[in-house]
Each structure stands twice: as C-alpha cells, then as structure tokens.
Amino acid sequence: MNRSAGGAVDAAVARPLAILCGAGAFPLEVAAEARRAGREPFLIGIVGSTDAAIGAFPHVWLRMGEVGRLFAALKEREIGEMAMIGAMTRPEFADLRLDWGAVKRAAELAQLFRRGDNGLLVGLAAIFEREGVRIVGAHEVAPRLATPAGRLGARPVSPEDQADIALGARLVETLSDFDAGQGAVVANGRVLAIEAAEGTDAMLARVAELRASGRLRLKGPAGVLVKAPKRGQDLRLDMPAIGPLTIEGAARAELRGVALAAGQVLVVERERCARDADAAGLFVIGFQA
Amino acid sequence: MNRSAGGAVDAAVARPLAILCGAGAFPLEVAAEARRAGREPFLIGIVGSTDAAIGAFPHVWLRMGEVGRLFAALKEREIGEMAMIGAMTRPEFADLRLDWGAVKRAAELAQLFRRGDNGLLVGLAAIFEREGVRIVGAHEVAPRLATPAGRLGARPVSPEDQADIALGARLVETLSDFDAGQGAVVANGRVLAIEAAEGTDAMLARVAELRASGRLRLKGPAGVLVKAPKRGQDLRLDMPAIGPLTIEGAARAELRGVALAAGQVLVVERERCARDADAAGLFVIGFQA
C-alpha cells in the first residue's frame, strides 16, 4: 500500500493504528513503515521495556497490567486495530499492576496466565477483539518488513545450498507437528542444530562454539540457517524475525547463508542486514515455503 | 548370558574378544562385564586417549594409524570379534601415524576420511570384517549395560511424565528421517530442546541455563530427557549412552527424570546413576521404543 493507491490509503488514514511496543527498535521501524503506508500510528510504551524513542510518535506510557488505561486510550482515539510488536518479557500475574480495567477482568486474566506463552497471547488477543480492537500483524501493516522472495543481498545461492535449504525447510515443517522449531542449521545435508526454547541467537552461538572448539569440523563457510514459522502459527501474535544480530550470529558460526520463508519472517533493519551479510560473505534469501 | 548357561559360555570362552578402547572408564566396564559373561577380553589402548587402567586386562597400546600392528595383534591371539567402545576423537588423516599395514590400505583409508563420522565408522568396520574380525556392540557383549525396561532408580513416573516421554520418543523417532536427534527435553507437552550435533550434555546445560536466566519459566522440577537411537542406527558402531554426568546435567536442568529406549541406550555406571538420580529426585526409566 502506498500513496498512489489513492482511495484505499485515505480509508486507511481514517483508521488509526495502535502499536503495543515491546523492547528494541523494531516497533519504531513498524511505526515508520506503517506511516509510509499511510497509517497514523499511536504507540503504546511499556514502562521498563519499550525504547524511549517512541516519543517521536504520538504515544502513551503504561505499566504492565494497566488494562483499563490501555482500553481508555484506544477508545479515546477511536482505534480499532492494534499490532503487538517486539519482544515482551512475560510478567508473573502477581507482578502485574492491575488498574480498575484489569481488576474487572482479573479472573479471566489469571486464567490466561496459567497458559503457555502462545496460549496467553491468543487469550489476550481475544480480549482485545471482544472490545472491538482487531489485532493485526507487522506483515499486514508493514508488509515491506517481511522477507521478500529471492535474494536480499549480493551473494548467490549454490545448488548445494538449495539442497540444504530444502532439507532445513522440510525439517522445520515437520517439527510443526510438535509445536517446536522455528529454525535449524543444516550443512552439506547434515543437521547441525535445531531450535527449540533457546531461540535463534543461542542456536547460532552454539554452532559457532562447536566449530571453534573443534567438536564440529567443517572446512570454511558451511551451513545454512533456515527459518520459518510453525505451520498454523498466528503471525499476528508471534512472527519469526531476524535482524543484524542474526546476521552477526550466522557470520560467527561461519555459515554460508540465511534462508527465510518468504512473507512469513520479518527482517528488522533490512538494508543493514543485507549490507552486513554482503560484508560477511553470507547469502540471505527468501524461499517459498 | 551367565555361567549357568553352561555350554554356551564355554563356546564363548573359546572366542576371545578384542575391545578397541576410546576415552573414559566405560571400555573397562564393558571389559569387566564381558568377562563376567564368560569372555576373555583383550584391550586395545590408543596412546593419548585411552585410560591407563586398561593395564588391569591383557592389552596392547597402539597409536592412531597403526593398522598393521592392530591386525597382527588380533591375528596372533586368534581374535575374531571386536567391540569399539568409548568416545574417540576423530583424527585428521594427515595426523595418522601410518604403519606398513596402514600404508597398504592408505588409498582406501584416505577415502574413508572424506566421509562423515558415521560413514568413516561404517567403512572402518567393513575393513575389519573383510579381515575376518566381526564388529560387535557393547549391548551384545555386555547386555547388562544396556537400559532395562522399567524403572532404574526409586522414583516413580507419573501419567504426565509418561505423556512427555511419549511425545519425546515420537519426536526423536521423527527426527530419524533427518538423520538427526538422539535426544530431546520435553516438559508438560512442550519441547524445550532438541539435540543435534552438540550432544546430550550440552543440550541439558542449555536447558539449565535457560531456566537459571529466567528465559524459561517452569515451576519446580519439570521436563524429561528422552534418549533413543536413530531408526536404523548401527548400535555396534554408535550406541547412545548416558552416565553419571547425564544424571548430573538432568539435575542441574531441574528435570523430573530421564527416559531411555530400553535395550538401545547404554548406561555407564548404572548403580551410581540410579543412586545419583534417587538423591536428585529424578526418575530413570527404560521405555519400549
């Protein structure tokens, strides 16, 4: 969506967008991109988590648990859509600072906090939607931030890389049956590492360590990081993402490149990722999942 | 097999057994157990790797690459069966100290060293078998060292544990299609960690770290380490194993227990494992894979 889309954009402008901002710079990137696409973002900062730079946009600061104030802020601005962007540390229910709006929903919230991370998010999304606030994903409000199909940097992909990418993609897809695994590292047909609760950065650090210690002997650059969401994963609530740290991790692990499910993985700071990957001799590619 | 098996044991005594000893105390345990079962073990130590305690058995010391001397030692003692036990660090082909028996086979050996670890082992086994030395597994010469079905320690297994064990076993079985994964950690239906090239100890350390750092929030003891060989894995060449270090790692990760494919995973120092597990409040169980 861009300004040349005419009427569609005007309609979008009429619909303001809230962004509930987790940690890091990515919420700001989404806000800027949404604005470029003709939306007017209103940012919700969480005290102690969110980057102070959200001050560059219309915003409000809340504490975890101030559900009533959050709904009031959305209502006041007639906001019907909200994206939840950036990493949020899951609080303990007992640590929430419940305001009146939260106390009214305390029993329901306490129930949700007994669920796993995903169950909690799904439950929170349901509460918002019931209040007339549709939850949208970064890929919807800022589609340019999702991985495009094809090459992102300058480095080409060899047929051997393609084979590793296909194996990794098949592996990650298979792990969906176990609600696990958004990533894996595959080198020359061999699975070196599989991501579960530790996350991608820790997985890459592990591969780097195994190589540095000599426990994993591979000559020169070898291996591909493959990332894709789980099958059926709600991308509005939990979308896999990479950024410059991922590229740095892949370089430290002396990989050949990074392969991402096109349209389904966010790339934070895309230009910098492509530049860093080029400098490190890594390919970055979006594959059709 | 035991002394009451009569004639069968006498026949076994007539067939001496060589044990090519990697690092650690496990080769000695296999030797002692094989002797208990009526075999007369002859130990082959590798200079710089094998525990000096093999001196308690008839033995010979060789350097990596002294293939000729190895075959001569086996022939001299009319040994037709050999087990390869304990971790061996894979040497570079160029670092081998080739004797005449190795030089004769240099071209073939050099080829094998281009393969992966498993390919190398399969190739070496084929060379031995061609020379009339059958390769046998620890589970064959010392079956008592393999995981029995049922409980090993005192701690019982709850129905929830059983569900986690079943999920982990299904996951590890599925990963066989990718020639990956001899282990996983599952807690309350959630996959916390999947083992690939890093090995079980590193995987357990990861879970411990994720919990200690608060990135993984689980209350009290939670989770099961599930270990099983890959489908089709040649247990004579590469059999999964646990030992006191595994129990220690599981305790550090605050797991509820350890589940092993019965008959297919070796338990090093079984009595100590059971004792340590009891002390740490962990169950250890052999499940029917």
Side-chain angles (χ1 to χ4, degrees):
Chain A
M1 199 190 297
N2 57 48
R3 298 211 165 270
S4 69
V9 167
D10 293 345
V13 170
R15 284 182 300 129
L17 170 75
I19 301 178
L20 182 58
C21 301
F26 193 55
L28 292 157
E29 214 178 328
V30 172
E33 192 57 32
R35 182 178 272 174
R36 245 178 56 106
R39 307 286 298 257
E40 193 42 57
F42 173 69
L43 275 53
I44 299 146
I46 298 158
V47 176
S49 293
T50 307
D51 194 318
I54 65 165
F57 290 87
H59 69 283
V60 64
W61 285 97
L62 298 177
R63 282 170 208 281
M64 287 264 196
E66 293 188 323
V67 177
R69 284 192 62 204
L70 173 52
F71 281 129
L74 297 176
K75 232 154 237 167
E76 190 189 329
R77 287 162 188 82
E78 298 184 331
I79 295 176
E81 285 192 339
M82 184 173 85
M84 306 198 284
I85 309 289
M88 301 193 198
T89 307
R90 178 185 176 133
E92 296 287 345
F93 180 70
D95 297 339
L96 292 180
R97 182 195 164 108
L98 303 182
D99 65 5
W100 179 239
V103 167
K104 281 196 294 181
R105 299 173 179 89
E108 185 177 12
L109 287 170
Q111 282 286 352
L112 294 185
F113 272 83
R114 295 214 192 108
R115 300 188 187 176
D117 289 352
N118 191 53
L120 172 60
L121 279 172
V122 168
L124 291 177
I127 293 182
F128 281 107
E129 307 230 324
R130 215 169 53 210
E131 300 282 338
V133 180
R134 205 166 73 86
I135 301 296
V136 292
H139 60 305
E140 294 168 303
V141 296
R144 225 185 60 93
L145 299 183
T147 306
R151 237 196 269 173
L152 244 101
R155 282 267 157 173
V157 172
S158 74
E160 290 77 22
D161 297 328
Q162 292 284 14
D164 281 344
I165 293 168
L167 178 63
R170 206 157 54 80
L171 171 60
V172 174
E173 159 79 13
T174 301
L175 289 171
S176 284
D177 293 337
F178 299 89
D179 197 22
Q182 298 192 333
V185 177
V186 177
N188 310 317
R190 182 177 168 207
V191 179
L192 301 185
I194 305 172
E195 179 184 340
E198 75 275 22
T200 305
D201 293 343
M203 177 178 61
L204 290 174
R206 176 161 87 240
V207 174
E209 225 176 85
L210 285 170
R211 296 190 70 168
S213 69
R215 286 197 50 212
L216 198 56
R217 291 181 180 212
L218 297 162
K219 285 198 183 97
V224 182
L225 165 66
V226 179
K227 267 187 84 73
K230 298 172 215 167
R231 196 190 320 119
Q233 184 167 334
D234 190 336
L235 297 182
R236 301 169 315 146
L237 302 179
D238 178 22
M239 190 159 172
I242 71 141
L245 270 180
T246 320
I247 302 298
E248 195 185 315
R252 287 228 176 102
E254 293 177 70
L255 302 189
R256 290 181 46 83
V258 174
L260 311 166
Q264 300 182 62
V265 178
L266 294 171
V267 183
V268 180
E269 296 186 60
R270 187 203 291 199
E271 279 73 27
R272 194 177 145 202
C273 281
R275 211 167 48 234
D276 291 357
D278 288 351
L282 294 164
F283 65 77
V284 181
I285 192 164
F287 65 89
Q288 296 293 354
Chain B
M1 199 188 299
N2 57 48
R3 296 214 165 268
S4 69
V9 166
D10 294 346
V13 171
R15 283 182 301 128
L17 169 74
I19 301 178
L20 183 58
C21 302
F26 193 54
L28 291 157
E29 214 178 329
V30 172
E33 192 54 33
R35 182 178 274 177
R36 242 177 59 102
R39 306 287 298 257
E40 193 40 58
F42 174 69
L43 275 53
I44 299 146
I46 298 159
V47 175
S49 291
T50 306
D51 195 320
I54 64 164
F57 289 88
H59 69 281
V60 64
W61 286 97
L62 298 177
R63 282 170 206 282
M64 287 262 196
E66 293 187 323
V67 177
R69 283 192 63 204
L70 172 52
F71 281 128
L74 297 177
K75 231 155 238 166
E76 190 189 329
R77 286 161 189 82
E78 297 186 332
I79 295 176
E81 286 192 338
M82 184 173 82
M84 307 198 284
I85 309 291
M88 302 193 197
T89 307
R90 179 186 174 131
E92 296 287 347
F93 180 69
D95 297 339
L96 293 181
R97 182 196 163 106
L98 302 183
D99 65 6
W100 178 239
V103 166
K104 281 195 295 183
R105 299 172 178 90
E108 186 178 11
L109 286 170
Q111 282 285 351
L112 295 185
F113 272 83
R114 293 213 193 110
R115 300 188 186 176
D117 290 352
N118 191 51
L120 172 59
L121 279 173
V122 169
L124 290 177
I127 292 183
F128 281 106
E129 307 232 324
R130 215 170 53 212
E131 299 282 338
V133 180
R134 205 165 74 85
I135 301 296
V136 292
H139 60 306
E140 294 168 302
V141 297
R144 224 184 62 94
L145 300 182
T147 306
R151 238 196 265 170
L152 243 101
R155 282 267 157 176
V157 173
S158 74
E160 291 76 22
D161 297 328
Q162 292 284 14
D164 281 345
I165 293 168
L167 178 63
R170 206 157 54 79
L171 170 59
V172 173
E173 158 80 14
T174 300
L175 288 171
S176 284
D177 292 337
F178 299 90
D179 197 20
Q182 298 193 332
V185 177
V186 177
N188 310 317
R190 182 176 168 209
V191 179
L192 301 185
I194 305 172
E195 179 184 339
E198 76 275 24
T200 304
D201 293 343
M203 177 178 63
L204 289 175
R206 173 160 91 241
V207 174
E209 223 176 270
L210 286 169
R211 296 190 72 169
S213 69
R215 286 197 49 212
L216 197 56
R217 290 180 181 214
L218 298 163
K219 283 194 185 98
V224 182
L225 165 66
V226 180
K227 267 188 83 74
K230 300 172 212 165
R231 196 191 320 120
Q233 185 167 333
D234 190 336
L235 297 181
R236 301 170 314 147
L237 304 179
D238 177 21
M239 191 161 174
I242 71 140
L245 270 179
T246 321
I247 302 298
E248 194 185 318
R252 287 229 175 100
E254 293 177 69
L255 302 190
R256 289 180 47 81
V258 174
L260 311 167
Q264 301 183 61
V265 177
L266 293 172
V267 182
V268 180
E269 296 185 58
R270 190 205 287 199
E271 278 73 29
R272 192 176 148 203
C273 281
R275 209 164 52 231
D276 291 358
D278 287 351
L282 294 163
F283 66 77
V284 181
I285 192 166
F287 65 88
Q288 295 293 355

